[in-house]
Amino acid sequence: MGERVKIDDWLLEILACPACKAPLRAESESEELACTGCGLVYPVRDDIPVLLVDEARKP
């Protein structure tokens, strides 16, 4: 817990929020990806982003 997200930069550049299609950014203090548009926060489990709106949490 509390580890940095381990996703290649090239992959992070092409990932988008499934809800609003805005870019995602890696959260530095947690293993999550946050949407720069709507603000939903998606978990990363075993270095795999779980980009399901039902799995996301609101900030």
Side-chain angles (χ1 to χ4, degrees):
M1 263 179 91
E3 293 181 22
R4 177 110 168 97
V5 174
K6 297 174 189 158
I7 296 178
D8 291 331
D9 291 336
W10 65 268
L11 180 58
L12 194 55
E13 285 182 19
I14 61 173
L15 290 178
C17 174
C20 73
K21 309 301 185 239
L24 298 172
R25 72 172 185 281
E27 290 291 302
S28 60
E29 298 179 5
S30 62
E31 203 166 326
E32 296 175 319
L33 297 175
C35 177
T36 58
C38 66
L40 288 176
V41 180
Y42 298 91
V44 177
R45 296 186 188 122
D46 297 322
D47 297 332
I48 300 170
V50 181
L51 299 180
L52 300 171
V53 176
D54 293 342
E55 293 282 327
R57 67 174 177 83
K58 296 184 185 211

Coordinates of all heavy atoms in Angstrom, one line a residue:
M1 N 0.8 -1.2 0.0 CA 0.0 0.0 0.0 C 0.9 1.2 0.0 O 1.9 1.3 0.6 CB -0.9 0.0 1.2 CG -2.3 -0.5 0.9 SD -3.3 -0.6 2.4 CE -4.1 1.0 2.2
G2 N 0.4 2.3 -0.6 CA 1.1 3.5 -0.6 C 2.2 3.6 -1.6 O 3.0 4.5 -1.6
E3 N 2.3 2.6 -2.5 CA 3.4 2.5 -3.5 C 3.0 3.4 -4.7 O 1.8 3.7 -4.9 CB 3.6 1.1 -4.0 CG 4.1 0.2 -2.9 CD 4.3 -1.2 -3.5 OE1 4.5 -1.4 -4.7 OE2 4.4 -2.2 -2.7
R4 N 4.0 3.8 -5.4 CA 3.8 4.6 -6.6 C 3.3 3.7 -7.7 O 3.7 2.6 -7.8 CB 5.2 5.2 -7.0 CG 5.1 6.0 -8.3 CD 5.3 7.5 -8.0 NE 5.6 8.2 -9.2 CZ 4.6 8.8 -9.9 NH1 3.4 8.8 -9.5 NH2 4.9 9.4 -11.0
V5 N 2.4 4.3 -8.5 CA 1.9 3.6 -9.6 C 3.0 3.2 -10.6 O 3.8 4.1 -11.0 CB 0.8 4.4 -10.3 CG1 0.3 3.7 -11.6 CG2 -0.4 4.6 -9.4
K6 N 3.1 2.0 -11.1 CA 4.1 1.6 -12.0 C 3.5 1.3 -13.4 O 3.3 0.2 -13.8 CB 4.8 0.3 -11.5 CG 5.5 0.5 -10.2 CD 6.0 -0.8 -9.6 CE 6.5 -0.6 -8.2 NZ 6.6 -1.9 -7.5
I7 N 3.3 2.4 -14.1 CA 2.7 2.4 -15.4 C 3.7 3.2 -16.3 O 4.1 4.3 -16.0 CB 1.3 3.0 -15.5 CG1 0.4 2.1 -14.6 CG2 0.8 3.0 -16.9 CD1 -1.0 2.6 -14.5
D8 N 4.0 2.6 -17.4 CA 4.9 3.3 -18.4 C 4.3 4.6 -18.8 O 3.1 4.7 -19.0 CB 5.2 2.4 -19.6 CG 6.0 1.2 -19.3 OD1 6.8 1.3 -18.3 OD2 5.9 0.2 -20.0
D9 N 5.2 5.6 -19.0 CA 4.7 6.9 -19.5 C 3.9 6.9 -20.8 O 2.9 7.6 -20.9 CB 5.9 7.9 -19.6 CG 6.5 8.2 -18.3 OD1 5.8 8.1 -17.2 OD2 7.7 8.6 -18.2
W10 N 4.4 6.0 -21.7 CA 3.7 6.0 -23.0 C 2.3 5.4 -22.8 O 1.4 5.8 -23.5 CB 4.5 5.1 -24.0 CG 4.6 3.7 -23.6 CD1 5.6 3.1 -22.9 CD2 3.7 2.6 -23.9 NE1 5.4 1.8 -22.7 CE2 4.2 1.4 -23.3 CE3 2.5 2.6 -24.6 CZ2 3.5 0.2 -23.4 CZ3 1.8 1.3 -24.6 CH2 2.3 0.2 -24.1
L11 N 2.1 4.5 -21.9 CA 0.7 4.0 -21.7 C -0.1 5.0 -21.0 O -1.3 5.2 -21.3 CB 0.8 2.7 -20.8 CG -0.5 2.0 -20.5 CD1 -1.3 1.6 -21.8 CD2 -0.3 0.8 -19.6
L12 N 0.4 5.7 -20.0 CA -0.3 6.7 -19.3 C -0.8 7.8 -20.2 O -1.9 8.4 -20.1 CB 0.5 7.3 -18.2 CG -0.2 8.1 -17.1 CD1 -1.4 7.4 -16.5 CD2 0.8 8.6 -16.1
E13 N 0.0 8.1 -21.3 CA -0.4 9.1 -22.3 C -1.6 8.7 -23.1 O -2.4 9.6 -23.5 CB 0.8 9.4 -23.2 CG 1.9 10.2 -22.6 CD 3.0 10.4 -23.6 OE1 2.7 10.3 -24.8 OE2 4.1 10.7 -23.2
I14 N -1.8 7.4 -23.3 CA -3.0 7.0 -24.1 C -4.2 6.6 -23.3 O -5.3 6.4 -23.9 CB -2.6 5.9 -25.1 CG1 -2.1 4.6 -24.4 CG2 -1.5 6.4 -26.1 CD1 -1.9 3.4 -25.3
L15 N -4.0 6.4 -22.0 CA -5.2 6.1 -21.2 C -6.1 7.3 -21.0 O -5.7 8.4 -20.9 CB -4.7 5.6 -19.8 CG -4.0 4.2 -19.7 CD1 -3.6 3.9 -18.3 CD2 -4.9 3.1 -20.3
A16 N -7.4 7.0 -21.0 CA -8.4 8.1 -20.8 C -9.5 7.6 -19.9 O -9.7 6.4 -19.7 CB -9.0 8.5 -22.1
C17 N -10.1 8.5 -19.2 CA -11.2 8.2 -18.3 C -12.4 7.6 -19.1 O -12.8 8.2 -20.1 CB -11.7 9.5 -17.6 SG -13.1 9.3 -16.5
P18 N -12.9 6.5 -18.7 CA -14.0 5.9 -19.5 C -15.3 6.7 -19.3 O -16.2 6.6 -20.2 CB -14.2 4.5 -18.9 CG -13.3 4.4 -17.7 CD -12.4 5.6 -17.7
A19 N -15.4 7.5 -18.3 CA -16.6 8.3 -18.1 C -16.7 9.6 -18.9 O -17.7 9.9 -19.5 CB -16.8 8.6 -16.6
C20 N -15.5 10.3 -19.0 CA -15.6 11.6 -19.6 C -14.5 11.7 -20.7 O -14.4 12.8 -21.4 CB -15.4 12.7 -18.6 SG -13.8 12.9 -17.9
K21 N -13.7 10.7 -20.9 CA -12.6 10.7 -21.9 C -11.5 11.7 -21.7 O -10.6 11.9 -22.6 CB -13.2 10.9 -23.3 CG -14.4 10.0 -23.7 CD -14.0 8.6 -23.6 CE -15.2 7.8 -24.1 NZ -15.7 6.8 -23.1
A22 N -11.3 12.3 -20.5 CA -10.2 13.2 -20.2 C -9.0 12.3 -19.8 O -9.1 11.2 -19.5 CB -10.6 14.1 -19.0
P23 N -7.8 12.9 -19.9 CA -6.6 12.2 -19.6 C -6.6 11.8 -18.1 O -7.2 12.5 -17.3 CB -5.5 13.2 -19.9 CG -6.1 14.2 -20.7 CD -7.5 14.3 -20.4
L24 N -5.8 10.8 -17.8 CA -5.6 10.4 -16.4 C -4.2 10.7 -15.9 O -3.3 10.8 -16.7 CB -5.8 8.8 -16.3 CG -7.1 8.3 -16.7 CD1 -7.1 6.8 -16.7 CD2 -8.2 8.8 -15.7
R25 N -4.0 10.9 -14.6 CA -2.7 11.2 -14.0 C -2.5 10.2 -12.9 O -3.5 9.9 -12.2 CB -2.6 12.7 -13.6 CG -3.4 13.0 -12.4 CD -3.1 14.4 -11.8 NE -3.8 14.6 -10.6 CZ -5.0 14.9 -10.5 NH1 -5.8 15.1 -11.5 NH2 -5.6 15.0 -9.3
A26 N -1.3 9.9 -12.7 CA -0.9 9.0 -11.6 C -0.9 9.8 -10.3 O -0.3 10.9 -10.2 CB 0.4 8.3 -11.8
E27 N -1.5 9.2 -9.3 CA -1.5 9.8 -7.9 C -0.2 9.5 -7.3 O 0.2 8.3 -7.2 CB -2.7 9.4 -7.1 CG -4.0 9.9 -7.6 CD -4.2 11.4 -7.4 OE1 -4.1 11.8 -6.2 OE2 -4.4 12.1 -8.3
S28 N 0.5 10.5 -6.8 CA 1.9 10.2 -6.2 C 1.8 9.5 -4.9 O 2.8 8.9 -4.5 CB 2.6 11.5 -6.2 OG 2.0 12.4 -5.3
E29 N 0.8 9.7 -4.1 CA 0.7 9.2 -2.8 C 0.0 7.8 -2.7 O -0.1 7.2 -1.6 CB 0.1 10.2 -1.8 CG 0.9 11.5 -1.7 CD 0.2 12.5 -0.8 OE1 -0.8 12.2 -0.2 OE2 0.8 13.6 -0.8
S30 N -0.6 7.4 -3.7 CA -1.4 6.2 -3.7 C -1.3 5.4 -5.0 O -0.8 5.9 -6.0 CB -2.9 6.5 -3.3 OG -3.4 7.3 -4.4
E31 N -1.8 4.2 -5.0 CA -1.7 3.4 -6.2 C -3.0 3.5 -6.9 O -3.9 2.6 -7.0 CB -1.5 1.9 -5.8 CG -0.9 1.1 -6.9 CD -0.3 -0.2 -6.5 OE1 0.2 -0.3 -5.4 OE2 -0.4 -1.2 -7.3
E32 N -3.2 4.7 -7.5 CA -4.5 5.1 -8.2 C -4.2 6.0 -9.4 O -3.1 6.6 -9.4 CB -5.4 5.8 -7.2 CG -5.9 4.9 -6.1 CD -6.7 5.7 -5.1 OE1 -6.4 6.9 -4.8 OE2 -7.7 5.1 -4.6
L33 N -5.1 6.1 -10.3 CA -5.1 7.0 -11.4 C -6.3 7.9 -11.2 O -7.4 7.5 -11.0 CB -5.2 6.3 -12.7 CG -4.1 5.4 -13.1 CD1 -4.4 4.6 -14.4 CD2 -2.8 6.1 -13.2
A34 N -6.1 9.2 -11.3 CA -7.1 10.2 -11.2 C -7.4 10.9 -12.5 O -6.5 11.2 -13.3 CB -6.7 11.3 -10.1
C35 N -8.7 11.1 -12.8 CA -9.1 11.8 -14.0 C -8.9 13.3 -13.8 O -9.3 13.9 -12.8 CB -10.6 11.5 -14.2 SG -11.2 12.4 -15.7
T36 N -8.4 13.9 -14.9 CA -8.1 15.3 -14.8 C -9.4 16.1 -15.2 O -9.4 17.3 -15.0 CB -7.0 15.7 -15.8 OG1 -7.4 15.3 -17.1 CG2 -5.7 15.1 -15.4
G37 N -10.4 15.4 -15.6 CA -11.7 16.1 -16.0 C -12.7 16.0 -14.9 O -13.0 16.9 -14.2
C38 N -13.3 14.8 -14.8 CA -14.4 14.6 -13.8 C -13.9 14.3 -12.4 O -14.7 14.4 -11.5 CB -15.4 13.5 -14.3 SG -14.6 11.9 -14.4
G39 N -12.7 13.9 -12.2 CA -12.1 13.7 -10.9 C -12.3 12.3 -10.4 O -11.8 12.0 -9.2
L40 N -12.9 11.4 -11.1 CA -13.0 10.0 -10.6 C -11.6 9.4 -10.4 O -10.7 9.8 -11.1 CB -13.8 9.2 -11.6 CG -15.3 9.4 -11.7 CD1 -15.9 8.5 -12.8 CD2 -15.9 9.1 -10.3
V41 N -11.4 8.6 -9.4 CA -10.1 8.0 -9.1 C -10.3 6.5 -9.3 O -11.1 5.8 -8.7 CB -9.7 8.3 -7.6 CG1 -8.4 7.7 -7.3 CG2 -9.7 9.8 -7.4
Y42 N -9.4 5.9 -10.1 CA -9.5 4.5 -10.5 C -8.3 3.8 -9.8 O -7.2 4.2 -9.8 CB -9.3 4.3 -12.0 CG -10.5 5.0 -12.8 CD1 -10.4 6.3 -13.2 CD2 -11.6 4.3 -13.0 CE1 -11.4 6.9 -13.9 CE2 -12.7 4.9 -13.7 CZ -12.6 6.2 -14.1 OH -13.6 6.7 -14.8
P43 N -8.6 2.6 -9.3 CA -7.6 1.8 -8.6 C -6.6 1.1 -9.6 O -7.0 0.9 -10.8 CB -8.4 0.7 -7.9 CG -9.6 0.5 -8.7 CD -9.9 1.9 -9.2
V44 N -5.4 0.9 -9.2 CA -4.4 0.1 -9.9 C -4.1 -1.1 -9.1 O -3.6 -1.0 -7.9 CB -3.2 0.9 -10.2 CG1 -2.1 0.0 -10.9 CG2 -3.5 2.1 -11.0
R45 N -4.4 -2.3 -9.6 CA -4.2 -3.5 -8.9 C -3.1 -4.4 -9.6 O -3.3 -4.7 -10.8 CB -5.5 -4.3 -8.7 CG -6.5 -3.6 -7.9 CD -7.7 -4.4 -7.6 NE -8.7 -3.6 -7.0 CZ -10.0 -3.4 -7.5 NH1 -10.3 -4.0 -8.6 NH2 -10.8 -2.6 -6.9
D46 N -2.1 -4.7 -8.9 CA -1.0 -5.5 -9.5 C -0.4 -4.8 -10.8 O -0.2 -5.5 -11.8 CB -1.4 -7.0 -9.8 CG -1.8 -7.7 -8.5 OD1 -1.1 -7.5 -7.5 OD2 -2.7 -8.5 -8.6
D47 N -0.3 -3.5 -10.7 CA 0.2 -2.7 -11.8 C -0.7 -2.7 -13.0 O -0.3 -2.4 -14.1 CB 1.6 -3.1 -12.2 CG 2.6 -2.9 -11.1 OD1 2.4 -2.0 -10.3 OD2 3.6 -3.7 -11.1
I48 N -2.0 -3.1 -12.9 CA -3.0 -3.1 -13.9 C -4.1 -2.1 -13.6 O -4.7 -2.2 -12.5 CB -3.6 -4.5 -14.2 CG1 -2.5 -5.4 -14.5 CG2 -4.7 -4.4 -15.2 CD1 -2.9 -6.9 -14.5
P49 N -4.3 -1.0 -14.4 CA -5.3 -0.1 -14.1 C -6.7 -0.7 -14.3 O -7.0 -1.4 -15.3 CB -5.2 1.0 -15.2 CG -3.9 0.7 -15.9 CD -3.5 -0.7 -15.6
V50 N -7.6 -0.5 -13.3 CA -9.0 -1.0 -13.4 C -9.8 0.2 -13.8 O -10.3 1.0 -13.0 CB -9.4 -1.6 -12.0 CG1 -10.8 -2.1 -12.1 CG2 -8.4 -2.7 -11.5
L51 N -10.0 0.3 -15.1 CA -10.8 1.5 -15.6 C -12.2 1.1 -15.8 O -12.8 1.2 -16.9 CB -10.1 1.9 -16.9 CG -8.7 2.3 -16.8 CD1 -8.1 2.8 -18.2 CD2 -8.5 3.5 -15.8
L52 N -12.9 0.8 -14.7 CA -14.3 0.6 -14.7 C -15.0 1.6 -13.9 O -14.6 1.9 -12.7 CB -14.6 -0.8 -14.1 CG -14.0 -2.0 -14.8 CD1 -14.2 -3.3 -14.0 CD2 -14.7 -2.2 -16.2
V53 N -16.0 2.3 -14.4 CA -16.6 3.4 -13.7 C -17.2 2.9 -12.4 O -17.2 3.6 -11.3 CB -17.7 4.1 -14.6 CG1 -18.5 5.1 -13.8 CG2 -17.1 4.7 -15.8
D54 N -17.7 1.7 -12.4 CA -18.3 1.1 -11.1 C -17.2 0.8 -10.0 O -17.5 0.8 -8.9 CB -18.9 -0.3 -11.4 CG -20.2 -0.1 -12.3 OD1 -20.7 1.0 -12.3 OD2 -20.7 -1.1 -12.9
E55 N -15.9 0.7 -10.4 CA -14.8 0.5 -9.5 C -14.2 1.8 -9.0 O -13.4 1.8 -8.1 CB -13.7 -0.4 -10.1 CG -14.2 -1.8 -10.4 CD -14.2 -2.7 -9.1 OE1 -13.3 -2.4 -8.3 OE2 -15.0 -3.5 -9.1
A56 N -14.5 2.9 -9.7 CA -13.9 4.2 -9.4 C -14.6 4.8 -8.1 O -15.7 4.5 -7.8 CB -14.1 5.2 -10.6
R57 N -13.8 5.7 -7.5 CA -14.4 6.4 -6.3 C -14.4 7.9 -6.6 O -13.6 8.3 -7.4 CB -13.6 6.1 -5.1 CG -12.2 6.6 -5.0 CD -11.5 6.4 -3.6 NE -10.2 6.8 -3.7 CZ -9.8 8.0 -3.5 NH1 -10.7 9.0 -3.3 NH2 -8.5 8.4 -3.5
K58 N -15.3 8.6 -6.0 CA -15.3 10.0 -6.2 C -14.4 10.6 -5.2 O -14.2 10.1 -4.1 CB -16.7 10.5 -6.0 CG -17.7 10.0 -7.0 CD -19.0 10.6 -6.9 CE -19.9 9.8 -7.9 NZ -20.9 10.6 -8.5
P59 N -13.7 11.7 -5.6 CA -12.7 12.4 -4.6 C -13.4 13.0 -3.4 O -14.5 13.2 -3.3 CB -12.1 13.4 -5.5 CG -13.0 13.7 -6.6 CD -13.8 12.4 -6.8

